[in-house]
Amino acid sequence: TEKREAPVLIIGSGYGGAVSALRLCEAGKKVIMLEMGLNWEKAGIPFSNLLKPGKSAAWLKKKSIAPFMNIFSLTPFTGTLDRLDFDHINIWVGRGVGGGSLVNGGMAVTPKESYFREVFPDLDAEQFYSFYFPLVQKELKVNVIDEQFLQECPYYKFTRVGEEEAHKAGFKTIRVPNVYDFKYMEKEFRNEVPRSALNTEVIYGNNHGKNSLDKTYLRKALETGNLEILDLHHVQNMKLNDDKTYTVSAHHIDTSGNIIADKTFTCKKLILAAGTMGTLQLLLRSNAVNGFPLHEKVGKNWGNNGNFMTGRNWVKPLSGGTGSKQSTIPVGGVDNWEDKEHPFFTEIAPLPMGMDVATALYLLINRVEKKGEVAFDKTRDILTLKWDESNTVKMRENAKYFVRKMNTANGGTRSHFLFNNGFGADICYHPLGGCVLGEATDRYGKVKNHDNLYVLDGSLIPGTIGVNPFVTITAIAEYCIENLIRQNEFAL
Ligand code: FDA
């Protein structure tokens, strides 16, 4: 076993990890970051697109794992997209240096202030809306599509049709900002640069255009000279030592998933940023394996951010459906949040399958009326999730209401093409909570019952935020790490 010491260790290179790394490195701290996925930029391996899944398509699986149409067999490789299967829900996550930012749709949505206040009554909302949200929009390079390009580009027919139909049905639509560089996309369209969003690249990684974390926070952190990122380092568990330091055990793997070395890292300060499910796995598994101290709130207050997928078939058949060419980057949404009976937000999602499948796809984001709970089954060595149909009753009702209203106004049927019964209750892209700010941690993410352990990722958000979550995750991480540094938590 190889042994190393580090003053500050961060596990995971997604939003929470990248923010923590940058701010600590700027403050002059030496940081080691362990990431189980591959450093794609360094490896120089291109990402594959939706129509031709290759190396980047799946985390060590023999078959692709897109939400639909998995007909492709693969040679297992440490790809960017992983799916965690539970009894009643499947959760997709990103793997690699940059975490979820490598595979996500880049939708950069600031939550509604009223809902943010409801979810986080103890935070100073004014400070978030005047400082932290603008800060992260700048750091993440958030921009908005040019309206004329949107109206003219054939690749956005699905958005134009979706919006037109929503208006006919009496819904309000909104423009959704993104981290994908829309000026780059315009050049793609004019064939001046290599295509990415217009070449069905997204959930297996974008070769161009998308400002994922490796191009923003992580690049800046590396430029300080204080950050070392070790990729293909899969952390197995953590141990609390008598002197209140931590020893972290990791498998160093190759791109086929074989273990090439066992490594241990001893650190004074440990930041968990392995994403909601990754962080919960590390905490709960370490507790099961070596009695790692846990607070009773760890695992509690978990939610799917109200994720609920649905679709409609034969959208405007006469005008040619939603188009055979589709950009992978969503820019439109239906905002029905103010409706007291049926509050939801839904993304007008692309379905770029290389042909016109006459199907409109929607990812609804609802309130989470009934939260779930994450635990660990020691005998089977797996995370378990207390979550079933009873948790999604209201989400299904909202989806039904939405589809019915859209079909009444525009024609169309529920999409049996994509889902059993037309609904995908079991599809989750936004797992949140389980290590909630102020419940399992103090008000800045320091884990209760510990002196040197912090959680800074999606697990801090109590299961719901009403919109796509990474802008909020990034802002909360900025807020926490700034205050932790100010309190001299990292004065070593
Ligand atoms: P994140 O999951 O980003 O990073 C955690 C990192 O830790 C990963 O790189 C993982 O490999 C690593 N890790 C985990 N366990 C480890 C271990 N044991 N050892 C070492 N490393 C470990 N959101 C949004 O706002 N807009 C959008 O458009 C979308 N779209 C979208 C599409 C798809 C397909 C998915 C899967 C997700 C989205 N999301 C999204 C969600 C968004 O990507 C997600 O909420 C954030 O990435 C979560 O950020 P975190 O910092 O919590 O962890």
Side-chain angles (χ1 to χ4, degrees), residues 11 27 33 37 39 43 58 61 80 106 156 176 195 203 217 251 327 333 335 360 389 421 438 488:
I11 304 175
M33 178 180 264
N39 187 335
K61 289 190 173 55
T80 55
Y156 276 109
V176 180
R195 289 188 164 193
I203 56 173
Y217 276 97
H251 289 157
S327 167
D335 179 2
E389 279 84 17
N421 303 320
N488 285 325

Side-chain angles (χ1 to χ4, degrees), residues 85-90 385-389 392 425-427:
D85 298 347
F86 296 91
D87 288 344
H88 300 276
I89 188 168
N90 298 318
L385 191 49
K386 209 161 143 196
W387 182 270
D388 58 34
E389 279 84 17
T392 55
D426 54 349
I427 294 178

Side-chain angles (χ1 to χ4, degrees), residues 12 14-16 35-36 95-96 99-100 104-107 235 274-275 457-458 468-470:
Y15 294 90
E35 166 56 53
M36 67 192 274
R95 303 256 176 255
N104 68 34
M107 294 173 76
V235 176
D457 62 17
N468 314 62
F470 74 61

